[in-house]
Amino acid sequence: MQFVILDLEWNNVYGKKIKGFFNEIIEIGAVKLDEKLNICDEFTCLINAQVGKTLRSNTKEITHLTNEDLKKGIAFSKAASMFKKWLDNDEDTIIMSWGDGDIRTLVDNCKYFGCGETIPFLNKYADLQKYFQRMVKSENKQQIGLKNAAEMVGINSENMSFHRALDDSRVSALCFKKVYDEKILKEYIYECNDDFYKRLRYKVKVISFIKNPLVDKSYLTYKCEKCGGKAKQLTNWKYSNQYFCSNYYCPKCDYGVKVMVRFRKMYDSTEIKKIIKPLLKIEEPIEKAAEKSGE
Ligand SMILES: [Zn+2]
């Protein structure tokens, strides 16, 4: 078993072949780890971009790469086969990346440049960012960027240039070593089979129709959080910006809230998020609202 940490840089371009935008890979960087999780080998390669002949200004800004740099690169398909060769034993390799964006981009590029529907060198994969967040017990659902992660575990990254593929994979490797736990990591390693790609291609959908059978009505309720008593519903549930929203009021506590519930259809589950915000001002006269709900 060997660990390889991969990082890509890309340029967002319009692909005529797919009649849409996609991220064209412009650089591949990776590090291989030994048993002690130290870097024992490195891979770096610039890609001579075929679709976007010129870099977008934000790509230039982020990566500090120039159009001249890319001209020295090689075609993506050649880089992919060189990378496979570099892995040496790809069947026994666990590839990791900071977030699964790199893997999604690889799938798109492999397809676009005729290397197949799947990634030819990917057999086992772990999302290092997801694993890291679990290990540092981040309550925040928001994803941790690599730079912040490095700071969190006390890695001095002053001399590193973030957003270059090799440097990013080096920093990722240092972060990985700091939070390594063989048993927990196992939960994050996926076999890259059909199911893996189906999950990867799956697009999360927000449910906007309240009568959708996936809307669990038991979440569309509110009990006063101060007294635990029944609160009056002031407004009907209304869909707005991903959330079903309704205002509630507890007369006993003279306390009003806006209840927001979002239902998202995931690959094989429904994800529910409920937010409760105090109402600063009860806009509707309560008596009138109470009458309405009694109709
Ligand atoms: Zn109350």
Side-chain angles (χ1 to χ4, degrees), residues 224-230 250-255:
C224 175
E225 65 206 79
K226 293 193 188 268
C227 70
K230 207 171 178 274
C250 174
K252 206 170 130 192
C253 306
D254 187 27
Y255 182 61

Side-chain angles (χ1 to χ4, degrees), residues 158-177:
E158 262 172 39
N159 299 322
M160 301 273 193
S161 49
F162 281 96
H163 296 300
R164 281 301 300 272
L166 183 57
D167 271 335
D168 279 3
S169 46
R170 283 175 184 154
V171 177
S172 303
L174 294 173
C175 290
F176 176 60
K177 194 180 173 183

Side-chain angles (χ1 to χ4, degrees), residues 26-66:
I26 54 173
E27 189 179 39
I28 301 175
V31 294
K32 213 180 263 181
L33 307 183
D34 63 17
E35 312 86 73
K36 287 184 176 149
L37 305 179
N38 294 318
I39 295 171
C40 61
D41 201 2
E42 295 183 333
F43 181 93
T44 177
C45 178
L46 284 171
I47 313 281
N48 183 5
Q50 296 302 303
V51 183
K53 300 267 184 200
T54 55
L55 291 172
R56 281 169 171 262
S57 57
N58 69 325
T59 312
K60 276 191 218 161
E61 233 168 78
I62 292 171
T63 61
H64 300 291
L65 284 166
T66 65

Side-chain angles (χ1 to χ4, degrees), residues 33-256:
L33 307 183
D34 63 17
E35 312 86 73
K36 287 184 176 149
L37 305 179
N38 294 318
I39 295 171
C40 61
D41 201 2
E42 295 183 333
F43 181 93
T44 177
C45 178
L46 284 171
I47 313 281
N48 183 5
Q50 296 302 303
V51 183
K53 300 267 184 200
T54 55
L55 291 172
R56 281 169 171 262
S57 57
N58 69 325
T59 312
K60 276 191 218 161
E61 233 168 78
I62 292 171
T63 61
H64 300 291
L65 284 166
T66 65
N67 295 318
E68 287 67 47
D69 290 332
L70 295 196
K71 278 188 197 127
K72 290 176 223 148
I74 57 171
F76 172 76
S77 55
K78 193 163 176 222
S81 63
M82 269 172 66
F83 185 70
K84 189 176 160 75
K85 222 177 252 171
W86 176 77
L87 288 176
D88 199 20
N89 180 6
D90 57 315
E91 263 123 77
D92 213 23
T93 298
I94 295 157
I95 290 186
M96 295 186 283
S97 61
W98 197 262
D100 65 6
D102 293 86
I103 296 304
R104 291 172 194 274
T105 300
L106 265 175
V107 172
D108 291 345
N109 279 254
C110 286
K111 196 174 171 186
Y112 199 93
F113 297 109
C115 308
E117 293 287 312
T118 59
I119 302 166
F121 49 80
L122 194 69
N123 289 293
K124 286 190 184 107
Y125 173 73
D127 181 341
L128 185 51
Q129 186 184 46
K130 236 181 179 175
Y131 168 75
F132 183 89
Q133 293 201 198
R134 153 86 176 270
M135 297 310 285
V136 298
K137 294 185 178 69
S138 165
E139 295 290 324
N140 198 337
K141 284 256 162 71
Q142 238 173 349
Q143 290 167 338
I144 303 174
L146 185 55
K147 204 171 176 177
N148 286 336
E151 272 168 28
M152 282 172 86
V153 291
I155 292 164
N156 184 358
S157 53
E158 262 172 39
N159 299 322
M160 301 273 193
S161 49
F162 281 96
H163 296 300
R164 281 301 300 272
L166 183 57
D167 271 335
D168 279 3
S169 46
R170 283 175 184 154
V171 177
S172 303
L174 294 173
C175 290
F176 176 60
K177 194 180 173 183
K178 292 267 187 185
V179 297
Y180 181 70
D181 180 304
E182 194 185 348
K183 225 174 118 195
I184 298 176
L185 181 67
K186 272 193 186 138
E187 296 171 31
Y188 289 82
I189 299 172
Y190 287 94
E191 295 278 342
C192 302
N193 50 23
D194 289 349
D195 198 49
F196 173 83
Y197 284 102
K198 255 190 229 161
R199 269 171 197 276
L200 206 63
R201 290 194 184 102
Y202 181 79
K203 289 202 171 58
V204 174
K205 292 181 200 90
V206 177
I207 298 170
S208 59
F209 184 51
I210 203 152
K211 285 184 177 153
N212 187 311
L214 292 173
V215 170
D216 182 342
K217 290 277 187 341
S218 70
Y219 286 88
L220 300 178
T221 53
Y222 175 72
K223 254 189 193 166
C224 175
E225 65 206 79
K226 293 193 188 268
C227 70
K230 207 171 178 274
K232 280 182 191 160
Q233 190 176 359
L234 301 182
T235 57
N236 286 327
W237 288 99
K238 221 166 95 187
Y239 179 78
S240 158
N241 203 7
Q242 303 201 344
Y243 287 84
F244 294 108
C245 308
S246 174
N247 293 347
Y248 277 80
Y249 178 75
C250 174
K252 206 170 130 192
C253 306
D254 187 27
Y255 182 61

